[in-house]
Amino acid sequence: MPTRSTTSMTAHQKAVEQIRESYAAIPDDAAPRLAKATTNLFRFREPTKTASLSARDLDQVIQVDPETMTAEVQGMTTYEHLVDATLPYGLMPYVVPQLKTITLGGAVTGLGIESSSFRDGLPHESVEELEILTGDGQILVARPDNEHADLFNAFPNSYGTLGYALRIRIKLAPVKPFVRLTHIRFTDADKCMLALTEICESRTHEGEPIDFVDGTYFGPGELYVTVGTFSDKAPYASDYTGMRIYYQSIQTRPRDWLTIRDYLWRWDTDWFWCSRAFGVQQPLVRSLVPRRWLRSDVYRKLVGFDQKHGVTARLDRWRNRPVQESVIQDVEVPVERGAEFLEIFQSEVGMTPVWMCPLKATRDWPIYPLEPGKLYINFGFWGMVPLPRGQQDGYYNRLIEHAVHRLGGHKSLYSSSYYEREEFWRLYNGDSYWPVKHAYDPGGRLLDLYDKCVRAR
């Protein structure tokens, strides 16, 4: 079968030269900021002196090769675009992050996770090669077995502080047309964590092999583990891109079927459950909203507008409501401490639902130091919580940071962080980061990881 290409390697090289020239033209006293059409970061700061780095024409799939089961992809390509290119060949990336407009470069240099992560880890673990624009302006190819292996290994979780991914070669996995879902209810968090451990270790449920595992916490007495299994056929296929809402079905349908494409994007239509903040889970409102607007990137733009103009804060003041703190985080906690984390989170924060996604790192990655082969649960929670009287912004997020690390876990850096500098470099392995930073960005053109990711207070 021939390979599929949506842009040529020659066109890619022209785009690489264009971004190299754009980078060289940025003044030395301005921090480069990658110009992207979409973002899934939630770090809102006061404006600083930055210069836009053009990444024009770096958002295409270069090639899908079904024989080697790999894809060559430009760094700004979204997973939605890549999946559309690979599914016709019966292939998908090993890990497809749950939101359509997450880019491959963003997932590799930041965080991405999904229900195949219990087996395949994080998105960067299926990457074979990276072409990177480094902080000193070079274009380098990094692989785990070449002279730039140190850069390849440190790149995950570096958030653009070592350079930018221009081209990525990623491994692909075979798929089937449908996914059969089974939602298993638990009334006890400890038993839920034990079940997750057993399912992930055996990779089976009730004697049958499983391909996907995640879960949802609706409250202390209502938790679900969802297992998915590939299937060639299905008696029906549910549609959660219109009036019906996926997360609500978990509580009412023990068994369900989705096409593989709809399964991969099952969370995107309602941004998990966060679309309720915009009223589009109300049947009347939903019936009036075009389907093309029911997408995570649309909601993200609305959040960005609100943050910029303070709409919600003004309404809260007008209604005499407490000041609210944005609590948008993904954290990894060892599975044996998962129930303890949920108890702390319920008591101190009280936000529901919470997404639960098991993962294992397949090898050591120095800047995001999870123990290889150890089962963690990613807990994802996204919303606003009223601050107690007398408390300042950061109260809940700092509480969560303390709890996560007390329990032996780790926190993604895509959202607000409140670490002190010394604490941060201890947790995120500064001893491994700084030698690579000095080697590939000796002049400090790019912000370092602390300055880039920790919220100014």
Side-chain angles (χ1 to χ4, degrees):
M1 182 183 296
T3 60
R4 174 173 177 165
S5 175
T6 59
T7 192
S8 69
M9 189 61 77
T10 300
H12 170 70
Q13 292 303 327
K14 290 181 179 178
V16 168
E17 189 58 33
Q18 186 271 326
I19 195 173
R20 188 211 300 265
E21 292 174 357
S22 176
Y23 189 76
I26 293 175
D28 290 341
D29 63 345
R33 179 181 60 82
L34 193 63
K36 296 174 62 176
T38 63
T39 180
N40 287 281
L41 294 178
F42 283 84
R43 294 192 296 267
F44 299 101
R45 298 186 181 184
E46 293 298 319
T48 57
K49 186 173 183 180
T50 62
S52 180
L53 176 62
S54 173
R56 188 177 70 247
D57 302 327
L58 279 167
D59 60 354
Q60 298 296 311
V61 177
I62 299 171
Q63 177 177 275
V64 176
D65 189 336
E67 293 187 2
T68 62
M69 297 176 65
T70 60
E72 297 274 356
V73 185
Q74 293 181 307
M76 297 301 105
T77 305
T78 66
Y79 273 91
E80 180 180 28
H81 189 174
L82 177 57
V83 164
D84 284 345
T86 63
L87 285 185
Y89 293 93
L91 299 169
M92 63 174 258
Y94 276 53
V95 179
V96 179
Q98 57 274 16
L99 304 181
K100 291 178 177 178
T101 56
I102 292 176
T103 63
L104 268 77
V108 170
T109 195
L111 177 80
I113 190 171
E114 242 297 345
S115 53
S116 58
S117 293
F118 78 100
R119 178 187 61 242
D120 298 321
L122 300 172
H124 56 262
E125 303 198 66
S126 55
V127 170
E128 295 185 336
E129 182 176 283
L130 292 166
E131 182 182 45
I132 300 171
L133 169 63
T134 59
D136 58 3
Q138 297 186 77
I139 307 293
L140 301 177
V141 174
R143 295 189 297 270
D145 59 353
N146 74 355
E147 68 272 25
H148 303 302
D150 56 344
L151 178 60
F152 182 92
N153 293 330
F155 203 71
N157 206 52
S158 63
Y159 284 90
T161 66
L162 300 177
Y164 301 103
L166 307 181
R167 178 181 56 82
I168 301 165
R169 185 165 71 228
I170 188 171
K171 295 188 291 185
L172 303 173
V175 303
K176 293 183 180 180
F178 300 97
V179 179
R180 183 188 70 199
L181 301 182
T182 304
H183 305 301
I184 311 156
R185 179 170 177 168
F186 294 86
T187 58
D188 179 88
D190 284 301
K191 291 181 180 178
C192 182
M193 295 301 129
L194 287 172
L196 279 169
T197 302
E198 181 180 343
I199 290 168
C200 293
E201 295 295 339
S202 68
R203 301 187 182 182
T204 63
H205 173 62
E206 295 184 343
E208 294 188 7
I210 51 97
D211 299 291
F212 305 101
V213 187
D214 67 347
T216 312
Y217 171 86
F218 289 97
E222 187 180 8
L223 306 88
Y224 295 84
V225 171
T226 297
V227 297
T229 302
F230 279 127
S231 178
D232 289 310
K233 298 179 180 180
Y236 61 88
S238 295
D239 181 359
Y240 296 107
T241 64
M243 291 299 294
R244 299 166 67 188
I245 298 171
Y246 173 71
Y247 84 93
Q248 295 176 354
S249 74
I250 294 171
Q251 297 173 286
T252 58
R253 306 188 69 175
R255 177 64 57 85
D256 206 352
W257 301 80
L258 291 170
T259 66
I260 177 58
R261 190 181 192 280
D262 283 349
Y263 176 76
L264 293 176
W265 305 131
R266 67 201 184 282
W267 293 118
D268 189 86
T269 300
D270 284 283
W271 211 14
F272 285 83
W273 30 79
C274 298
S275 65
R276 62 188 177 186
F278 307 102
V280 297
Q281 292 187 19
Q282 298 295 326
L284 178 59
V285 176
R286 198 175 186 88
S287 68
L288 298 174
V289 175
R291 283 196 182 200
R292 67 182 183 277
W293 291 1
L294 297 174
R295 292 173 54 97
S296 60
D297 55 331
V298 173
Y299 307 133
R300 174 59 179 78
K301 289 175 182 176
L302 292 173
V303 171
F305 180 88
D306 181 54
Q307 286 285 332
K308 182 177 181 179
H309 299 284
V311 177
T312 298
R314 291 178 185 178
L315 288 174
D316 285 343
R317 287 196 297 269
W318 181 68
R319 295 170 179 172
N320 200 29
R321 290 180 175 176
V323 175
Q324 297 190 84
E325 179 178 346
S326 175
V327 182
I328 299 174
Q329 303 288 352
D330 277 80
V331 302
E332 275 83 51
V333 175
V335 65
E336 64 271 17
R337 310 297 296 274
E340 189 176 349
F341 174 79
L342 284 173
E343 183 178 0
I344 295 169
F345 188 81
Q346 179 67 35
S347 172
E348 300 291 343
V349 183
M351 182 193 302
T352 59
V354 175
W355 189 47
M356 305 184 297
C357 186
L359 78 149
K360 284 184 181 180
T362 62
R363 51 163 286 196
D364 179 56
W365 298 92
I367 313 303
Y368 203 66
L370 301 175
E371 183 180 332
K374 183 179 181 63
L375 186 64
Y376 294 81
I377 304 298
N378 173 283
F379 295 101
F381 36 90
W382 317 284
M384 304 289 289
V385 184
L387 278 166
R389 185 177 297 274
Q391 294 294 343
Q392 301 296 314
D393 187 53
Y395 169 77
Y396 289 111
N397 284 285
R398 194 67 177 121
L399 184 154
I400 291 165
E401 288 176 353
H402 283 305
V404 167
H405 295 294
R406 188 169 69 248
L407 297 175
H410 221 57
K411 188 185 101 162
S412 168
L413 298 173
Y414 74 87
S415 189
S416 299
S417 296
Y418 293 80
Y419 301 107
E420 298 296 336
R421 190 176 294 271
E422 183 178 346
E423 176 189 25
F424 176 87
W425 289 120
R426 174 174 56 82
L427 295 171
Y428 293 90
N429 203 354
D431 288 344
S432 292
Y433 174 84
W434 280 108
V436 182
K437 177 69 169 174
H438 292 317
Y440 294 97
D441 186 20
R445 290 289 311 277
L446 302 172
L447 295 174
D448 69 47
L449 190 61
Y450 182 85
D451 289 337
K452 179 75 175 285
C453 295
V454 177
R455 179 173 177 168
R457 287 170 290 144

